[in-house]
Amino acid sequence: MSRLRVGVLASGRGSNLQAILDATSREDFPACVVVVVSDRERAAALDRAARAGVPAVFLNPKDFADRAAYDLGLEQVLREHRVELVCLAGFMRILTAPFVRAFAGRILNIHPALLPAFPGLDAQRQALEYGVRVAGATVHFVDEGVDTGPIVLQASVPVHHDDTEESLSARILVEEHRLYPEAVRLFALGRVHVAGRCVRVEPER
Ligand code: GRF
């Protein structure tokens, strides 16, 4: 079985990266992580990659003139590693349109809210401040907007009356760690079909 080559972009602690690394470490998983790139030198995600024996690349934004140049650098690293699917896992930069087009239909992101509710930063806080009773996580394709692409998988969690941003985030994170590897698996198996805004996931045969 040839495994789908995944590149993960991460800026921070990398717990979603870890969930993907753990899943891909199983022999029967149809994808493998071939490179992890971060825009932050001290990102724990880079340590996690190194521990898993995966090339970990720090791409310093200061070495590039602007966002367009940075994204070209990013594209080059991903191409060098022959990446077939790009997974954003807490990557704190908005990708430029040419980058998104270069990997059209091959970039996934995880967002800690039930999109289209609460896109952008601090989604869990937005949910608490709005007073929703149900929150959750979304894996979606990345298009040229912010958290606007077609939705692949979602999972919901209850919001409790005494929730803090931390307690709600922790409950959502459990679902994130389950959803993201599952979305990668389905994509790798060719079971994810996009038609306009909508995604159809082929059932298991
Ligand atoms: C997660 O909550 C994810 O949904 C959001 O950023 C956070 C990243 O966490 N996009 P981690 O670095 O994967 O632990």
Side-chain angles (χ1 to χ4, degrees):
M1 173 184 73
S2 94
R3 304 169 101 199
L4 185 83
R5 300 175 65 84
V6 177
V8 180
L9 311 185
S11 301
R13 85 192 143 175
S15 71
N16 278 288
L17 163 67
Q18 191 65 57
I20 294 171
L21 286 170
D22 291 348
T24 54
S25 72
R26 290 192 290 271
E27 249 169 47
D28 60 345
F29 197 85
C32 56
V33 180
V34 294
V35 66
V36 173
V37 187
S38 182
D39 59 332
R40 306 230 175 120
E41 192 169 16
R42 288 179 209 291
L46 291 175
D47 302 329
R48 292 181 191 268
R51 271 203 299 277
V54 171
V57 178
F58 165 52
L59 207 57
N60 191 347
K62 292 200 183 112
D63 293 340
F64 297 87
D66 52 22
R67 284 178 60 218
Y70 187 87
D71 283 6
L72 275 176
L74 202 53
E75 184 181 339
Q76 197 182 330
V77 173
L78 297 172
R79 297 249 184 250
E80 276 163 16
H81 288 84
R82 292 181 288 122
V83 164
E84 298 166 297
L85 173 68
V86 181
C87 289
L88 311 186
F91 191 58
M92 299 308 286
R93 296 173 66 87
I94 295 171
L95 296 164
T96 55
F99 181 93
V100 173
R101 285 198 288 270
F103 291 95
R106 296 192 153 266
I107 312 175
L108 293 176
N109 182 42
I110 184 132
H111 184 72
L114 291 173
L115 290 171
F118 314 126
L121 291 176
D122 302 321
Q124 302 93 331
R125 190 190 313 162
Q126 291 185 55
L128 283 176
E129 285 173 356
Y130 198 93
V132 293
R133 301 265 46 95
V134 176
T138 303
V139 177
H140 64 94
F141 282 104
V142 173
D143 63 11
E144 292 174 25
V146 175
D147 302 326
T148 50
I151 290 168
V152 183
L153 294 176
Q154 290 188 303
S156 61
V157 301
V159 179
H160 301 324
H161 288 288
D162 57 353
D163 262 335
T164 60
E165 202 178 331
E166 289 68 36
S167 63
L168 179 59
S169 299
R171 196 173 307 123
I172 293 172
L173 203 56
V174 172
E175 295 305 315
E176 293 186 36
H177 295 165
R178 190 176 62 77
L179 280 191
Y180 215 171
E182 177 60 4
V184 171
R185 188 180 78 88
L186 292 168
F187 185 92
L189 292 173
R191 287 173 49 195
V192 175
H193 304 283
V194 186
R197 258 228 65 81
C198 296
V199 173
R200 186 174 65 85
V201 175
E202 249 177 65
E204 202 98 40
R205 279 176 217 272

